[in-house]
Amino acid sequence: MNMVLVKENMNEKNKIWQEAIEALIDPAYGMDEEESAAYMGKIMAKLKSGKNLTQEELNYLSLHNQQLYMTALRVKYQKEALKNRLKSCRSKEEAQEVIDNAVGGVSKDDPDKEYLIAGIREVEKEFKKSDAYSRLPDKKEKSERKKLLKYLDNKNCENEEASNDNIFNNEKVTPIAELLDILPVFEAKA
């Protein structure tokens, strides 16, 4: 008889613990079907708009909709990867290329396309509002520098051919010297 009471007491304690754990893990614990459906609708709306889901919402999906949970995780990791790539961009033009590549990388047949594109657009919106984006130059500086150097190199070739009496005939004029030659000269009268 004593053993039966101990077992019943243990079963009762286990039930209490199980309910407490479920209450901690499942955000829908204690909700009726209507409230649970509304909560799922809220989560779906957040996913469709590209917003980040809370850990509580992810827990709910993991317990109640495994397929949507996997989609939410996929979107979350894609967004984090895009954020990391955007951090290394050196111009607004390069950042836009990274975003365009991310959007272009989503297959038209992908069942999660809607969620992925929404997530990418949300990251784009957040990034373009950031101070990091506003500090970036518009164009790639390297390509602008290369264009300038190419222009100056071509200018050097033209100048060498045109001026036989140049004192630098045997020396190549540096880009800095060429820039100094292009700049206007101001003379101050005393």
Side-chain angles (χ1 to χ4, degrees):
M1 175 106 175
N2 228 359
M3 194 66 144
V4 172
L5 286 175
V6 169
K7 279 188 175 183
E8 284 180 18
N9 195 15
M10 290 296 284
N11 284 340
E12 219 173 284
K13 284 182 182 179
N14 286 342
K15 286 180 184 177
I16 292 171
W17 277 110
Q18 185 177 2
E19 285 183 30
I21 290 171
E22 282 180 24
L24 289 173
I25 293 175
D26 188 2
Y29 182 78
M31 289 184 189
D32 61 13
E33 283 186 37
E34 193 174 296
E35 291 172 327
S36 185
Y39 192 67
M40 178 62 92
K42 175 186 163 195
I43 293 172
M44 291 289 294
K46 280 180 87 172
L47 264 177
K48 285 182 180 180
S49 68
K51 304 277 188 222
N52 293 327
L53 297 181
T54 64
Q55 189 59 48
E56 182 179 291
E57 292 164 336
L58 287 172
N59 289 343
Y60 178 84
L61 288 178
S62 72
L63 293 172
H64 298 281
N65 190 335
Q66 195 66 30
Q67 184 178 3
L68 196 58
Y69 173 70
M70 296 305 289
T71 298
L73 284 182
R74 184 173 174 215
V75 170
K76 177 182 176 182
Y77 293 131
Q78 289 283 343
K79 287 172 64 173
E80 287 175 8
L82 180 58
K83 285 179 188 177
N84 289 333
R85 284 187 301 227
L86 288 172
K87 285 179 186 177
S88 66
C89 289
R90 298 291 171 228
S91 69
K92 291 176 182 173
E93 181 182 41
E94 184 181 355
Q96 191 59 49
E97 286 175 9
V98 167
I99 291 166
D100 292 343
N101 288 338
V103 170
V106 178
S107 170
K108 65 179 181 176
D109 299 328
D110 193 328
D112 303 331
K113 179 181 179 180
E114 176 185 9
Y115 304 117
L116 291 168
I117 298 293
I120 291 168
R121 293 299 177 207
E122 184 65 21
V123 169
E124 176 183 22
K125 188 171 82 173
E126 289 172 8
F127 181 68
K128 287 187 175 180
K129 286 182 182 177
S130 72
D131 290 337
Y133 179 77
S134 63
R135 282 184 255 134
L136 290 175
D138 289 335
K139 300 252 182 200
K140 293 180 185 177
E141 291 177 8
K142 279 186 175 179
S143 64
E144 294 298 318
R145 185 169 183 261
K146 284 180 183 178
K147 287 178 187 175
L148 177 64
L149 290 174
K150 186 176 181 180
Y151 167 78
L152 292 175
D153 195 36
N154 288 340
K155 188 84 169 159
N156 279 341
C157 291
E158 291 171 9
N159 285 346
E160 286 176 12
E161 293 169 3
S163 63
N164 290 333
D165 59 351
N166 187 347
I167 60 170
F168 299 109
N169 272 344
N170 296 331
E171 298 178 27
K172 188 160 181 131
V173 179
T174 65
I176 293 175
E178 185 68 25
L179 277 174
L180 291 174
D181 288 342
I182 294 172
L183 294 174
V185 177
F186 300 99
E187 294 182 25
K189 294 183 181 179

